[in-house]
Amino acid sequence: MQRLLDAGLAVFAERGYHATRVDDVVRVARTSHGTFYLYFANKEDLLRALAVDCAARLETLSGAIGPIDAGPAGFGALRAFLADFLAVYERYGPVIRAWMEGQVGDPEVDRLGLHAFAAIRSVLTDRMRTVGAVADDEVAATALMAMIERFSYVVASQRLAGDDDVVLDTVAQIVHRGFFGAPGPTPA
Amino acid sequence: MQRLLDAGLAVFAERGYHATRVDDVVRVARTSHGTFYLYFANKEDLLRALAVDCAARLETLSGAIGPIDAGPAGFGALRAFLADFLAVYERYGPVIRAWMEGQVGDPEVDRLGLHAFAAIRSVLTDRMRTVGAVADDEVAATALMAMIERFSYVVASQRLAGDDDVVLDTVAQIVHRGFFGAPGPTPA
Amino acid sequence: MQRLLDAGLAVFAERGYHATRVDDVVRVARTSHGTFYLYFANKEDLLRALAVDCAARLETLSGAIGPIDAGPAGFGALRAFLADFLAVYERYGPVIRAWMEGQVGDPEVDRLGLHAFAAIRSVLTDRMRTVGAVADDEVAATALMAMIERFSYVVASQRLAGDDDVVLDTVAQIVHRGFFGAPGPTPA
Amino acid sequence: MQRLLDAGLAVFAERGYHATRVDDVVRVARTSHGTFYLYFANKEDLLRALAVDCAARLETLSGAIGPIDAGPAGFGALRAFLADFLAVYERYGPVIRAWMEGQVGDPEVDRLGLHAFAAIRSVLTDRMRTVGAVADDEVAATALMAMIERFSYVVASQRLAGDDDVVLDTVAQIVHRGFFGAPGPTPA
DNA sequence: CATGAATGAGTGTTCATTCAT
DNA sequence: AATGAATGAACACTCATTCAT
């Protein structure tokens, strides 16, 4: 049931996965405990369902990453990817955080996360492979994902003052230069 | 008491803060429940004590950050800072993760984390202010901290294959170039 | 819920408030811990609920006290009040004892008790004020309540051998004469 | 050890027997847990020791009760007894309350209390037996003791406003008239 | 399909008691 | 005799899960 999925995301976002009680989800979804267990085997299963949705969204997103090179077009592609990722994070933040924090305990949830992130990392390393400007592509891609996740977190939770566009520009700039050594577009 | 602090870090690292039972900590420390509550008011209080220690370590660390400029000396200072942070993370990872994941609920723990990270961010933005190469210093410092924390996590949890030196070089390179636009030392 | 209230009274009566474990109440009520906490926030809350009921019963009772004078009618009114109080005590003894022993720690329970007893004391002093035969009305009313509570206790707990009617007569006699100096009805 | 006995009385008086922790007693007595268990087998044993002392005091007191008749001399004897009892209560209140509330669980404590009170009741019924003015001597004595205990409690805990002499007079008056039907001394 | 009262295993916390020093 | 750190059994309370309606 859609209302339960939405409620789950809302409560996970507010309290975190471990601290949310099924009771909270049920109350926010304006339904009953019985109904919850009609659609989900248990609390973990709700997260699993959300993880499936999120993974699908990220799949689409990673398929749409354009070639990232040292020039302005590459910068644009990178910035677009960051913006897309942020959009997914705004809805599926709790799922992505559960993946990054890696302590849910459910192997299926972990698997979905590892798979989704591996796909993105693989596309990114592929798109940026030509450069060879960094010592280790795998490390670079991991660091990049970490940075993107955190930046999405601080933006999504409004812990970072400032206009979203400037934030996106700044992060894209750092990443672009970090990976290509190119100066990138001059900051406004 | 030292045994309890060590056990706390070990179990928090393995299971995560929410999932660790006092019973686990007590078993690892080879002591009893009674003894635990002799030294700590409750589970949160153990994390608080660890947070105090960790904050002190980070305080020292942030005081030792040298000037970071576009040249090789700046690169060295940055790499040294990353290495130092990683060393702290290797012990206090669970505390730092609790801070980043921000869902412990104890205001004192939060305060310690915010304070410690603000100190580091402030030193970093100060040391790197002259450059003016990024659109927003605050955003840059936040993104930087996020990246450092995640990179420490993947290194500390051995989720990243590869020699630590190469990892440090790669991350330092990305960061240095990202913030200064300089090519940095040629990767080996 | 009614079963829990009854079980609470039964176990409080048998073991005393402090010594009763929630487990006892639950076992007597033939229900589970979960159900207990569904209806009551904690053990104190159960006592509180009982205290509310008891206070209501005493409220009714104190409203029904007739004018108590030196004559046979006054004696009858007093005896009737004692009998009524005893009836309430037979069910709510543990609550009344908790009030008299005054060591529950819950301000709301204390408030209910003080209020209920103040109401009775106030009616009694009012009804008996005309006499002026005692040095201090407030002291007299307090001593009277104490005597009534204890007498109820020993009767309710069968610690006093003898027919209830004789006991009632004896106490009413002592009280009536104590307050009015009148000989009262000749003991049978 | 005397300091432990004193501390026990102090803490029992403040918190009640069930709610006092050995730790409190030890802290007030400025000694250690080890020392406590050097002198007393357990917490109950402390109460038992205090009960022995209190019983001895009451023994003395009950031996000193003079003949109580309807005249002024009887009133004086009664008032003197009340004053003596109050003096004992001021120190041993917690013990007497433990006896009256009858829920300590230790048979020896109960036995001491029952014995001490039985002695007083027996002396009182003996001293007042000649009168024959009440329906049941045993009931009368029980009610009397109850009244005395409560009156001592409210006086000792300063829950009753007013000069102690007036309180003593009032209670003695009520009791004297209650048991003898005599008007007693005119209140001042 | 939907409900929500009932359940009880699991966990945090307390505190009387012990014993090595 | 005195200490106080250590113990663990006992208890209060929570919350994911079930099932009769």
Side-chain angles (χ1 to χ4, degrees), chain B residues 67-76 127-128 130-131 176-177 179-185:
Chain B
I68 301 174
D69 58 29
F75 176 84
R127 293 286 186 281
M128 307 194 299
T130 50
V131 186
H176 195 246
R177 282 207 303 231
F179 284 84
F180 297 93

Side-chain angles (χ1 to χ4, degrees), chain D residues 20-103:
Chain D
T20 75
R21 290 161 292 146
V22 172
D23 192 68
D24 297 326
V25 176
V26 153
R27 195 178 323 104
V28 170
R30 296 184 180 227
T31 181
S32 66
H33 282 223
T35 301
F36 181 94
Y37 285 92
L38 213 57
Y39 291 98
F40 304 101
N42 47 44
K43 196 173 78 162
E44 234 162 19
D45 193 40
L46 169 60
L47 184 65
R48 210 176 299 135
L50 292 168
V52 169
D53 292 353
C54 179
R57 293 280 301 263
L58 290 183
E59 203 78 23
T60 307
L61 183 155
S62 70
I65 301 177
I68 301 175
D69 58 26
F75 177 84
L78 180 63
R79 195 187 186 285
F81 166 67
L82 293 180
D84 286 351
F85 188 90
L86 181 57
V88 175
Y89 197 96
E90 234 129 39
R91 175 165 173 80
Y92 291 100
V95 174
I96 296 176
R97 297 190 62 192
W99 284 338
M100 306 282 311
E101 294 164 10
Q103 263 146 358

Side-chain angles (χ1 to χ4, degrees), chain B residues 4-41:
Chain B
L4 281 167
L5 291 169
D6 291 343
L9 284 172
V11 184
F12 287 161
E14 193 181 325
R15 301 223 206 298
Y17 174 73
H18 274 109
T20 75
R21 291 162 291 140
V22 172
D23 195 64
D24 298 325
V25 177
V26 153
R27 194 176 327 103
V28 169
R30 295 183 178 229
T31 182
S32 66
H33 280 222
T35 301
F36 180 94
Y37 286 95
L38 203 59
Y39 292 101
F40 305 102

Side-chain angles (χ1 to χ4, degrees), chain A residues 97 100-101 146-147 150, chain B residues 97 100-101 146-147 150 178:
Chain A
R97 296 191 61 193
M100 305 282 311
E101 294 165 10
M147 193 157 155
R150 272 294 121 178
Chain B
R97 296 190 64 194
M100 306 282 313
E101 294 165 10
M147 192 159 154
R150 272 295 121 181

